Every structure is written in C-alpha cells, then in structure tokens.
Amino acid sequence: MASPPASDPYARHVLARMADFFTDEGTPWARRLWDIGSVLALEELWEAGYWQANGVLSQTACDWQRNELNALIGPDRGLGDKELRKELTGLLRNSLPDPSPERRRLKEIIGHVRAGYLERWAAAVSAPVEQRVKLERFSRTVASHLLDLGYSASHLRAWARDLYRDRATTADIADSAAELARTPARVFEVLVALEKVPRRELAEPLEGWFDKGKVVAWLREHGHDTSGIRPGGGFVYRITALDAFSAADQARQMVERMTARSQFLRRDRGGVVPFPRLWVADHPQPIPLNPPARGADVLTLVNEGHLYQVAGRRSRIDEALELAAAVNRGPMAPAVAGAWAAVESLLSHPDDPKDNERSGKAVAADRMAAIIACSWPRAELTALAHRHRPRAGDDLSRLITACTTNQERARLVAEVLHAHGAPALDFTSASTKYTDWPAAQRMADLVKTPRPVLGDVRCAFRIALRRLYRTRNIILHGGATRGVALEASLRTGAPLVGAGLDRIVHAAYAEDLSPLDLAARAEVALQLVSGETGLSVVDLLEPV
C-alpha cells in the first residue's frame, strides 16, 4: 500500500493487517488468518448437532467444540454486553443434542447475533483510544466475519485498499464493514466457455447453453477482447453472490463438477475442457479459472534441495506430501480429505488415547498444533530481522547483517525485543512496515511472557486443525460436500498444514527424526520454554 497514510495510526495498522488476511498468495502462514468468525463458529456448532445425531461426529468431539467456543467468545464485542451475551453463554454451558429445546434456542440466538454484529463492533471501537480493543483482534474479527459472509478475498482486498487511500479512520472502517455486512447478494452473469464439448446434444437443451457464436457475441456485448477465443460453446450462469470474484468462484465449482462427471464417460473420458478464464458481466477483466493457492507452503523442499529427490524407496513423508497435494488448488472436498489424511498418517499411532477428548484421531491435530506453535516464533522473528530497515543504518542492522543463519538473526531480534521492547525495531524503509510494527509488538509480548502467548497461539492452531478433522469426517462419513465451514476450514487450515509439513520434512531430512518424535519434542518444549532449562523461544524445535 504505497498511497498516502491514513490519519489514524490504529486504522493504518488495521487496514494493513486486513490486507495480509485478504492476500491469497504471498502472505506467510505466520501472518495469515487462523480463525473464523463467531457467527460462523456458532452456525458450525449448530450443524454439528445434526452430524452427531447421525453418528458422523462423536459426543466428545461436539462437547469439545462447544466448550472451546464458549471460552473464545468472551472478548467478542459483537456479541453484546447484556441479555444477548447472557443467553448465548448460558446455552453453551449445556449439551446441544439434536433434537432438543436448547438447540432450537441456539438457532434463534444465532439470528440475533448475526443481525447487528458489526454494528456492535463499530460502537465498541468508537471508545476512547486507551480503551480500544487490540488492533489484531479487531482486524481478525472483521476480516473473518466478512470472509465468512461470502465475500471474496480479492474484493475485500480492494475494499481495504480504497479505505487506506481515503485515509479512513477506525470508525470509518467499522462503519464500512457493517455496511458491507448489510449489503444483500445480487445476481451476476458468469460465462463459462468450453474448448471441447463431448456429447454436445446433452448440453444444447440446457438453460444457459450458448453455442460458439453466442459465446463470442456475449463477450463482445460486455466489452471483452475476443481475439484468440475459439470456443466450442459454453454456459452463462446466473449466480447469486456478494461480489464478482465470489460469483466466479461458484462458477469455478460448477466447472469442477462438470469436468469430474466427464471422467466417467466411456468415450471421450475427461473430454470436457474449459477455457482457462471466466468472464463476469460488468466486471472489466477475465478471471482465471485456476483459483489462487490456499497457502500451504513446504519451503524446505526448495530451501534444502529436496524438490526432485523422488528416486528410491518411498517414505511415509513422500506419501503424506502426495496425499496433501490437493490442498492448495484442488476441489474443496478432496483438498480437505487429502490434507487431513496427511496429518493423520504422520501424527497418529495405535497407542493413542481411546476414551477422552483426544480420542480417535483428534490427537493428530493437537500434535500438529504443537509443532506449528513452536515454529511460529522463529518464523516471525526471522521476518522481523530481515525487515528492520531504518533510513540510516544502525548497530542492530549491522549485527543482523553479520549473522550467518536465520537462527542467529532470530535470537538477536528476540534479545533486543526482550531488552528494549518493540520500539527497538525500525521498519521505516520496509514496504510491509504497517504489518511489521504489530508483529514486533506480538513478538515483544512473546519473549516477555512466552508460555501464555504460545498457549494462546497453540489453542488457535488446535481449533483450526480440529475443524479440518471434523470437516473431513462430515465429507467422508456423512457424504456431504457443502458443510457450513467447509471453505473456512480450508482457508484457515491449509496454511497451517503446510507449515507443519514443512517442519516435519525438515526434521526428517536434517535429523532423521520421525513426525511423532518431533511432536513430542514440541509438546515438551511448550512446557519448558523460558524455565529452569533456559529453553529459548528461538530453539523450541532444535535438538538438545
């Protein structure tokens, strides 16, 4: 964001963090959105009752989900201060089986929570500066709620950029977000052009079918360049959505279903071939058919030279990487199933608990969460070291330059933050300065009180990964591919799966350490950090 700064520093940082959350590719996992909004979390809990009644989810899993949600909603200003909050917290203290009076009341409460949710946040952030909620919480709450409503990340990124350009205040952001939440969905026309159309006689009678001449005419009518477009035909769908990118995403899912069906043809198997672009009426540019990647990055494969090392005996990790490959760009249901299969295959064992809240395969999510939580400090501290860029060089810059490893750089920054706090770092010349400053404060809090901060982060990861597990169970055991939290579970879970696999791959190649042993190291480190052993937040996954 290179435009003139906003007049309100808090607002400037909020919008920069939102830009991180709305950037599909490019934002490192450590700065992405790890959670969903309270409204969707309540809807997910209500849906879980149905799957529990049908034997897809266990009572233990649903109770854990409800108890965690009850603990998390405490700081959420959008849930009101009096009657609404009291009714909601009272309900969440009870089991919510389907059917039950409590579950029926929960459904009614969700409607009241949804109506006016961001307006209540707008009122909360209008408080005096010294009473404002932390900017990270406000940024995450608003961003997750708008994404949960169905807005695309691309649309919201442009929205945040416009607010920044217009020097929006905190109140402006809250009011504008509330206005977005009130805006009803509208109908978009989306053109899906096909290069190849086997069994054309099955397509021609359908509503929305356009032959090749009509496809070209539609493109010209809506101001699009038709050079090089030689379609075999196509469909124009009328899709109800909140923005053009969201409409294109729904059309993309239709294409996925169409091409999947074509795999079952005897002749022309897989013969439905779409154009690599979609067109939305009144949207100026075509939209790529391939979606942005979901942010599952295993950087060790490149950084340590393992990308092409596939000869020889296949390992458990090789198989896990193949299982998880769909997580970045595959259709949602296979992406969830493959990602969870990778986690479960590496981090579960026959001797795992059978009769408590970590029963089944949920313990694999908890182990992965511990590994990622231990990875988080090094990732952020290393980024801060590279982005400390004062206008004039200083002693810290020279010391960072003299370091030969990222571990040394991270340790140096941690020591400086512990001694002098976040103001010791200077990001004036960094293009990411408005997200670096809040990150520096988070790391300053971490190095001063590592256990509670790491505990909160681990909890967020645990919830996201258990959501991925529940979603997988709904898909595979319930046969449902449109759960309320399906998209959100991938949005939050995919980058975390990538981060965990990255550490597992590194440990395997660098130390020949098994995933279960790495998880044990992480779980012990979270208990010992900053204690009598002197374990630093920089070295949580390092061998003793």
Side-chain angles (χ1 to χ4, degrees), residues 245-394:
F245 292 98
S246 181
D249 189 56
Q250 292 184 50
R252 185 181 291 127
Q253 293 172 38
M254 293 182 188
V255 174
E256 289 172 354
R257 295 201 295 273
M258 194 187 307
T259 55
R261 291 184 180 195
S262 78
Q263 296 297 329
F264 295 98
L265 295 176
R266 178 174 294 175
R267 296 179 58 187
D268 300 312
R269 194 181 300 277
V272 174
V273 179
F275 267 76
R277 299 182 295 282
L278 300 166
W279 291 266
V280 180
D282 301 323
H283 185 74
Q285 298 295 328
I287 296 173
L289 179 63
N290 283 335
R294 298 185 180 105
D297 303 324
V298 183
L299 301 181
T300 294
L301 294 174
V302 172
N303 294 343
E304 299 181 20
H306 302 301
L307 183 62
Y308 296 108
Q309 294 184 17
V310 296
R313 187 172 62 85
R314 292 161 61 87
S315 69
R316 205 80 178 272
I317 289 174
D318 291 326
E319 292 167 343
L321 290 172
E322 290 180 28
L323 286 169
V327 72
N328 267 315
R329 282 202 170 98
M332 285 187 288
V336 167
W340 178 257
V343 174
E344 180 180 312
S345 70
L346 296 173
L347 293 172
S348 63
H349 191 272
D351 66 1
D352 288 337
K354 302 292 190 297
D355 55 359
N356 61 27
E357 55 89 12
R358 299 183 88 194
S359 61
K361 304 298 183 181
V363 66
D366 299 352
R367 287 170 177 152
M368 183 67 98
I371 292 171
I372 305 167
C374 289
S375 306
W376 178 63
R378 176 87 71 86
E380 278 286 53
L381 289 166
T382 300
L384 294 176
H386 288 296
R387 292 170 182 175
H388 172 73
R389 295 179 188 174
R391 286 198 175 94
D394 61 1

Side-chain angles (χ1 to χ4, degrees), residues 3-326:
S3 46
S7 57
D8 178 349
Y10 181 97
R12 184 165 63 237
H13 292 135
V14 165
L15 290 171
R17 283 301 279 143
M18 286 185 180
D20 279 347
F21 301 147
F22 300 146
T23 300
D24 291 311
E25 294 189 75
T27 299
W29 72 267
R31 295 195 183 181
R32 292 178 73 102
L33 197 56
W34 305 328
D35 34 27
I36 66 174
S38 295
V39 177
L40 181 58
L42 288 167
E43 292 172 344
E44 183 192 20
L45 180 64
W46 187 86
E47 182 189 64
Y50 170 83
W51 294 115
Q52 179 191 334
N54 284 273
V56 172
L57 300 179
S58 69
Q59 175 73 54
T60 302
C62 291
D63 286 345
W64 184 90
Q65 180 185 1
R66 174 174 52 81
N67 290 331
E68 287 297 316
L69 180 56
N70 198 19
L72 283 174
I73 63 175
D76 192 331
R77 307 290 185 88
L79 301 178
D81 296 319
K82 298 178 182 177
E83 297 86 0
L84 182 60
R85 180 178 292 274
K86 181 179 179 182
E87 178 70 11
L88 178 57
T89 55
L91 278 175
L92 293 181
R93 293 191 190 102
N94 301 298
S95 184
L96 299 165
D98 181 16
S100 68
E102 292 80 12
R103 189 166 183 272
R104 291 190 289 271
R105 288 172 63 193
L106 176 61
K107 185 176 183 180
E108 291 300 316
I109 283 292
I110 291 171
H112 288 286
V113 169
R114 186 187 300 108
Y117 176 78
L118 288 182
E119 284 83 356
R120 289 187 286 273
W121 263 101
V125 297
S126 65
V129 172
E130 62 274 9
Q131 298 175 17
R132 278 181 182 170
V133 69
K134 287 186 177 181
L135 70 89
E136 184 74 9
R137 178 172 294 280
F138 179 53
S139 305
R140 286 183 176 273
T141 298
V142 173
S144 60
H145 185 72
L146 293 175
L147 287 166
D148 293 345
L149 287 176
Y151 282 104
S152 68
S154 297
H155 180 83
L156 292 173
R157 185 168 61 251
W159 167 76
R161 184 174 59 243
D162 290 345
L163 286 173
Y164 187 89
R165 181 199 61 210
D166 295 340
R167 301 172 181 248
T169 64
T170 305
D172 293 334
I173 297 169
D175 290 341
S176 181
E179 179 62 29
L180 277 182
R182 290 191 297 270
T183 302
R186 63 189 181 92
V187 175
F188 292 84
E189 277 194 7
V190 184
L191 169 66
V192 172
L194 303 176
E195 291 186 17
K196 296 182 180 179
V197 191
R199 302 302 300 268
R200 180 184 301 271
E201 72 276 10
L202 299 178
E204 290 173 343
L206 298 179
E207 182 180 0
W209 167 256
F210 278 33
D211 62 28
K212 56 186 177 182
K214 291 180 69 175
V215 167
V216 172
W218 188 96
L219 289 170
R220 287 173 177 160
E221 177 187 350
H222 291 90
H224 293 290
D225 182 13
T226 60
S227 58
I229 304 293
R230 300 291 183 269
F235 289 93
V236 172
Y237 294 111
R238 292 176 59 81
I239 294 174
T240 301
L242 288 167
D243 63 71
F245 292 98
S246 181
D249 189 56
Q250 292 184 50
R252 185 181 291 127
Q253 293 172 38
M254 293 182 188
V255 174
E256 289 172 354
R257 295 201 295 273
M258 194 187 307
T259 55
R261 291 184 180 195
S262 78
Q263 296 297 329
F264 295 98
L265 295 176
R266 178 174 294 175
R267 296 179 58 187
D268 300 312
R269 194 181 300 277
V272 174
V273 179
F275 267 76
R277 299 182 295 282
L278 300 166
W279 291 266
V280 180
D282 301 323
H283 185 74
Q285 298 295 328
I287 296 173
L289 179 63
N290 283 335
R294 298 185 180 105
D297 303 324
V298 183
L299 301 181
T300 294
L301 294 174
V302 172
N303 294 343
E304 299 181 20
H306 302 301
L307 183 62
Y308 296 108
Q309 294 184 17
V310 296
R313 187 172 62 85
R314 292 161 61 87
S315 69
R316 205 80 178 272
I317 289 174
D318 291 326
E319 292 167 343
L321 290 172
E322 290 180 28
L323 286 169

